[in-house]
Each structure stands twice: as structure tokens, then as C-alpha cells.
Amino acid sequence: MADCEKNGAARSAIASEDVDLRAEFAATGLGSILEQLDRDLVGLAPVKQRIREIAALLLVDRVRKRMALSAEAPTLHMSFTGNPGTGKTTVALRMAELLHKLGYVRRGHLVSVTRDDLVGQYIGHTAPKTKEILKKAMGGVLFIDEAYYLHRQENERDYGQEAIEILLQVMENQREDLVVILAGYTARMETFFRSNPGFRSRVAHHIDFPDFSDDELFRIAEMMLAKQNYRLSSCAADALRAYITERMRQPLFANARSIRNALDRARLRQANRHMAADRMVTVADLMTIDAPDILASRVLRRNGSAGPATH
Amino acid sequence: MRITQGTFSFLPDLTDEQIKKQVQYCIDKGWAVNLEFTDDPHPRNTYWEMWGVPMFDTKDASAVMLEFRECRKVYGGRHYIRLSAFDASHGCESVKLSIIVDRPKNEPGFRLQRQESVGRNVSYTTHAYATDRTEGERYRN
């Protein structure tokens, strides 16, 4: 009752005062993070959209809190699902920064773990290990990669269950201290959530990372090369486009990660080409990836044939 | 008799919120925070039992508070719980801050014992009434 009155009083006190959400937005420095997100991450439109939505929600929530309109800390635990190489870890890092700017985590660091870091080897080993990690992550974001490995369906005495129970408890009771992000491949995360309903209900935001289109992959390749001070010759660009189209059709395609590996091999071939040529090289030579470096790939040579290609 | 050891011990007991702020101060200084407990209040009892290992790589006070709450669940109200912060920057761990964060409800205090020896010499001993009982039973009502 007293609380009601207090809230009421607070509300009437600021009723006349309007809030400029734009100014509020500028004050947090969120704009620069979202812009950087747009600039650094190619594609991923639905993901960026969701992040903007979450940011807007949190910003409004913060203003509401200041006006004593809401008291509960919102649930911020998230799950990132998507195929390999779609940028889940990269976005998680940004998310930690974003939540820090908004004041929803106090430190803004990201602790990235897998099953190994949480689950022990023998009875009584798991709880202290999990707690240690949780303590480390407090005030920041705990990123659990390939979270479904925590739950081993075939072995009911697996210690993973113990880690899950501790996690769930902390996720519920210490929402203001820690944000947990679970990540993994879509289908397996679905099974994981189905067998651990506790997780599904505690995770507020499910974000699905779509695969990249071939155009987006090409732009990613260009950005990766630019970061390492390489550039593509125009024939090489055409070759790379052909390579991407071909590679996407083949099994074990891991989106941006496959592209990164392909570029690493192209660099290797470029270096070998210059070594074998036995003549003076210019700076431009050292910076340019040429068509042969890409065309030599097995993906293009075995054009049309089935079977996984790794080179 | 209220035991006064470490920082702030002449002030009223700190609230959890105040303790948390102290812990965050320690962490921001780069010190490792440690929890210890004992039921022997003698001032020369320096080495208390450790509650887990010192927390070296926590970034936020809430992690320490989590352990503190756990420790208090077990020993609160019947042991002294001390929070100490260690600074390792000198090359060895040295205590920078030490606060008693939980104490027994009843603190019976000390008896001063005088022993008369040769001549008119007197040697003094302080003896905690609590230690008349066995360990673990001392502050049980």
C-alpha cells in the first residue's frame, strides 16, 4: 500500500515532465555500438533488427524504472541459434558491450565457456567448477557455446545435469548480476530446450541467425582481406564469386568460417606462387590475390562432382 | 563484549549493501577477496578457517556476496566471519583490508587471568569465555 502511494506520488511528480527518448538514446552511446554492428557485420538483418528491438525495450525500461513505473529487473537471458559460421560469438561480444552501456550488466565482460569448463569429471567436481565460472562471469555475460552438450540424453547419470541445475538457479535468482547466452546449432538447441523446459522459460530472447547469401559471403571475404591488407584482382573477384557459389552447394559448408579458410588457403597459394616465380616482387604483388590462387581450389576443379571438398 | 578487530569494527555492523560496496572497492583495486571464519575470538588467533579459496578472478562484488551468503547460511550467528582483501602487487599477498562481517549474537568476552610468580611479578593472560566449550559448540545457545 505504502509502495503504491509512493509510486503514485512519483508518477504525478514527473507527469508534467516529458522524456526525450532520442536524447536518452544518445546519452547511452548505444548509437555507436549499433552503427558499428551495422558496419562490421554483413547481412544478418533479422539479428540486427532483434538487437535494435531489445535495445529499445531496455532503454524504455530504464526510463520507466527511473520514473518508478517498473521495479523488476527484466529477464535478459538469450539463446543464439544458427548454422556454423553465422556470427553467434561475434554478436555475443557486442551484446555484452551493449548491455553494459545500458547499465544492465555492471562490468560488461564476456566469459565464453563450453561443457568442459562447467562439468566436472567425478562426483562433487561439477558444482564448484560451475560456481567458479558463474562467479567469474558475474557482472558480465556468460556465453555457453554449444550448450546442448550440457545435456546427455543417453546417460542420465551424466554430471551435465548438475551443472544445468546450478545454472538455472543462478539464472533465476541473480538476474541482475549475470546474463546468460546459450548458443548452438538450431536443430540441436531445439532438442536441448525440449528436454530442459526450465531453460526455455528462463530465456527471454531467442535469436535465430540466418545463413549468409552468396553476395553477403563475398562482401565478408572482401572485408576479411581488407583487414589483412590484401585485395582481390578483378579476375580473382570473379573467381571467388564462382568459388562461393560452388562451395555453398557442397556439404559441410560453414558460412563465414568456410570463407575464412578458403582465403587462408588462397594466401598460401599466393605466397607459393611468388616464391616459385623467382623474380622481384612489388608491394602491389604482395597485396594482390590473383585468379590462379583461387582457381586452384579443389572446389572449382571438381566442378559438378559430389563429395565433400576441403581444399 | 563486542570484539573489535579489523576495519570499521567500532562502527555499527555494516549492512549487506555497505559490505558489497567495500568488496567492489577491493576488486577495483585489484585485490583478491577472501572469506574466513572462526569461533575462537582471541586476538592472537590469526589464522582462521578459510571458506573456499581466495577469489582471485572475480570482477564483480556479487560473486563474493554469493559466497558470503553461503558462508553465513552455515556459520552465521554462531561464528565470526571475516572478509579480507589481499594485495599481491608487492610480490607477496599482503592484507589490505579486513572486516568482520558477521558475529555471534552473544559475545561473552574475556577473563583476565593474573598469575603471581616469583617476587611481585604478575603475568597476564586473556581467556575467552567462549573457548571453555569445545570447538563448534561455543556460540550455540
Side-chain angles (χ1 to χ4, degrees), chain A residues 44-307:
Chain A
L44 294 178
V47 175
K48 286 174 185 166
Q49 186 54 36
R50 272 309 290 276
I51 291 177
R52 273 172 199 285
E53 282 166 16
I54 293 171
L57 168 76
L58 294 181
L59 192 74
V60 170
D61 218 58
R62 214 171 71 144
V63 175
R64 280 172 56 95
K65 196 168 181 179
R66 221 177 42 217
M67 300 182 163
L69 292 176
S70 70
E72 279 262 308
T75 310
L76 289 170
H77 306 309
M78 302 175 203
S79 99
F80 289 178
T81 53
N83 284 332
T86 42
K88 298 185 288 286
T89 318
T90 317
V91 171
L93 253 171
R94 294 294 160 78
M95 194 55 101
E97 210 177 316
L98 191 125
L99 292 175
H100 179 51
K101 286 259 162 87
L102 279 165
Y104 281 94
V105 295
R106 283 185 298 268
R107 311 276 126 201
H109 60 293
L110 181 88
V111 176
S112 177
V113 297
T114 54
R115 178 191 156 95
D116 273 5
D117 303 296
L118 295 169
V119 180
Q121 317 247 304
Y122 40 82
I123 292 185
H125 189 204
T126 304
K129 223 176 155 180
T130 307
K131 273 198 188 141
E132 205 54 46
I133 294 290
L134 285 169
K135 278 194 281 177
K136 215 177 185 176
M138 275 190 186
V141 172
L142 178 66
F143 181 74
I144 306 176
D145 208 1
E146 310 201 62
Y148 34 75
Y149 285 130
L150 283 177
H151 178 79
R152 292 251 163 97
Q153 236 165 352
E154 65 281 6
N155 183 0
E156 61 181 27
R157 275 198 268 176
D158 181 61
Y159 300 137
Q161 198 56 43
E162 204 181 332
I164 289 177
E165 276 154 29
I166 297 170
L167 264 176
L168 285 177
Q169 201 191 337
V170 172
M171 279 167 83
E172 185 62 35
N173 298 338
Q174 291 182 280
R175 266 182 295 179
E176 66 275 24
D177 293 331
L178 174 78
V179 171
V180 177
I181 298 180
L182 306 163
Y185 307 147
T186 314
R188 304 186 64 176
M189 283 303 275
E190 201 46 52
T191 333
F192 174 69
F193 280 129
R194 211 174 307 130
S195 44
N196 295 279
F199 265 119
R200 188 189 279 286
S201 56
R202 278 172 186 84
V203 171
H205 306 282
H206 292 262
I207 303 182
D208 202 43
F209 286 63
D211 282 344
F212 291 111
S213 71
D214 42 4
D215 212 42
E216 285 163 355
L217 285 169
F218 181 73
R219 268 163 51 214
I220 291 171
E222 275 183 327
M223 278 173 77
M224 284 177 178
L225 286 174
K227 231 178 250 169
Q228 304 178 59
N229 285 319
Y230 278 100
R231 61 168 177 248
L232 291 166
S233 68
S234 61
C235 329
D238 291 338
L240 186 62
R241 276 180 198 283
Y243 173 89
I244 290 171
T245 317
E246 196 52 44
R247 183 68 187 88
M248 280 174 83
R249 247 183 272 143
Q250 288 177 354
L252 300 176
F253 176 62
N255 287 292
R257 201 171 301 145
S258 288
I259 299 303
R260 191 179 62 204
N261 293 343
L263 292 178
D264 281 347
R265 286 188 297 271
R267 281 166 52 207
L268 185 103
R269 286 189 209 103
Q270 185 236 29
N272 273 310
R273 181 163 55 85
H274 286 312
M275 284 299 282
D278 194 27
R279 57 175 175 83
M280 305 293 267
V281 289
T282 62
V283 178
D285 282 340
L286 289 178
M287 282 180 70
T288 311
I289 302 259
D290 216 344
D293 304 329
I294 290 163
L295 290 173
S297 164
R298 206 189 296 167
V299 173
L300 289 172
R301 264 187 293 156
R302 300 211 309 197
N303 212 341
S305 73

Side-chain angles (χ1 to χ4, degrees), chain B residues 89-119:
Chain B
S89 60
H90 309 109
C92 61
E93 301 281 354
S94 42
V95 177
K96 279 295 174 84
L97 183 73
S98 162
I99 315 171
I100 292 182
V101 285
D102 201 285
R103 55 177 73 236
K105 284 187 200 76
N106 283 320
E107 297 176 280
F110 298 88
R111 170 171 64 222
L112 184 68
Q113 240 167 3
R114 299 181 179 84
Q115 191 192 28
E116 291 144 340
S117 57
V118 191

Side-chain angles (χ1 to χ4, degrees), chain A residues 18-50:
Chain A
D18 292 335
V19 177
D20 184 2
L21 279 180
R22 296 256 162 259
E24 200 69 40
F25 182 79
T28 53
L30 263 183
S32 68
I33 299 185
L34 291 176
E35 249 168 53
Q36 206 190 353
L37 202 73
D38 263 344
R39 208 167 345 108
D40 294 359
L41 298 180
V42 175
L44 294 178
V47 175
K48 286 174 185 166
Q49 186 54 36
R50 272 309 290 276

